[in-house]
Amino acid sequence: MTTDVPGRIKTVANGEARIAYAVCGSEEPSAVTLCLVASTGRGPEDFAHLAAHLAEAGLRVVLPWPRGTGGSTGALDGIDFHDLAADAGAALQAEAGPGGAVIVGHAYGCWIARTLAQDRPDLVDGIVLLAAGGGKWAPELSRAIEVAMDPEAPEADRLAALQLGFFAEGHDPRPWLSGWSGELVRAQRAARAATDRDSWWPSGRAPILDVVGLQDPFRPADGREFYLHEFAPRVELVAVDGASHALPDEKPAEVAAIMVPWIRALRAGTPD
């Protein structure tokens, strides 16, 4: 599944932080620009196949590395969602043209995407949520993250944790044994605790595409319409069968096939 990040590597400043990112796809000024924000403790490598599909569809795709990974630098202590959102926003703004800009989050990255939409409504024309968690989830899922990312844990335990929390039956979790940053996870969790919920929860005013795997334990059936209830009529919900929390890496072609027409309709001004 996961492979190297496609595209040209660039850097952009966000205050004292320097954010490294890859950019691939259309170089036409009129192309829609997407910025993909990765999940807890992970980087844009998880988007490699999805990014390739999106680029092939004529979109420009920006893939930033979180602070402390992949050449990105910046404080990891004393930060909040708004700092992390500004990192993504700097990369998105550096590449966006008149074709419009869409922020895309995966799992934890959905919170950062929504924060950017709240902070920069002038920049964000649309929000795509991939495997966004609902209002609550089982405690064992948070524990699964701890085990999955622990290089000292037995490999069998890590694979079982990945299968439980991230991958649907029939998908190999082994590539996700690597790619974790414990330091980043700690900073991201502290950032969540430090952020006033009211400062980001409204998520701006842009339309929202909510794509969820039917086998995602972080979004069980009784919470599937969570964002519809929170943000209707801004939200379009689409479910993907055979996918769990690692949705964009499990089903990249299917996710792209959902995103591309929505983005084209967004540009035409037709999404609700």
Side-chain angles (χ1 to χ4, degrees):
M1 288 183 180
T2 305
T3 187
D4 292 337
V5 177
R8 305 171 298 282
I9 307 300
K10 299 184 180 182
T11 60
V12 65
N14 173 36
E16 295 184 358
R18 295 289 300 181
I19 304 304
Y21 65 93
V23 57
C24 62
S26 177
E27 297 185 20
E28 293 295 324
S30 60
V32 179
T33 304
L34 282 63
C35 179
L36 278 59
V37 184
S39 62
T40 301
R42 299 187 63 81
E45 292 82 2
D46 295 342
F47 293 126
H49 297 295
L50 174 59
H53 287 290
L54 296 170
E56 289 171 5
L59 303 172
R60 182 161 47 246
V61 184
V62 175
L63 301 157
W65 278 270
R67 296 180 179 203
T69 68
S72 290
T73 61
L76 289 174
D77 295 324
I79 61 174
D80 62 14
F81 277 3
H82 300 282
D83 297 301
L84 298 175
D87 290 346
L92 179 57
Q93 186 164 23
E95 299 296 332
V102 174
I103 187 70
V104 183
H106 173 214
Y108 181 100
C110 294
W111 292 332
I112 306 307
R114 291 171 54 197
T115 303
L116 181 63
Q118 178 70 17
D119 291 347
R120 294 292 311 275
D122 59 308
L123 175 63
V124 175
D125 299 304
I127 308 165
V128 179
L129 307 179
L130 303 178
K136 58 183 179 179
W137 49 81
E140 60 263 27
L141 296 175
S142 296
R143 173 59 182 162
I145 296 174
E146 296 292 337
V147 176
M149 64 179 281
D150 183 1
E152 302 301 321
E155 184 176 285
D157 291 350
R158 297 183 67 200
L159 290 171
L162 285 166
Q163 198 72 63
L164 171 67
F166 293 88
F167 288 88
E169 185 177 354
H171 293 161
D172 181 12
R174 192 169 295 275
W176 274 41
L177 289 172
S178 61
W180 296 93
S181 168
E183 184 179 23
L184 177 60
V185 171
R186 288 187 288 274
Q188 289 172 327
R189 288 176 173 171
R192 182 185 180 190
T195 308
D196 177 21
R197 184 179 186 273
D198 291 341
S199 74
W200 67 276
W201 188 263
S203 310
R205 56 176 182 262
I208 300 170
L209 174 62
D210 179 22
V211 187
V212 59
L214 284 177
Q215 287 72 41
D216 188 345
F218 287 89
R219 193 80 168 275
D222 61 1
R224 196 151 296 141
E225 296 186 352
F226 179 81
Y227 293 99
L228 284 175
H229 296 310
E230 286 289 312
F231 299 116
R234 293 167 58 193
V235 179
E236 179 178 344
L237 170 64
V238 182
V240 179
D241 197 8
S244 182
H245 206 50
L247 169 67
D249 205 11
E250 290 179 290
K251 294 280 189 176
E254 291 85 345
V255 171
I258 294 165
M259 289 176 59
V260 169
W262 186 86
I263 290 166
R264 288 175 176 162
L266 178 72
R267 188 176 184 185
T270 56
D272 294 332

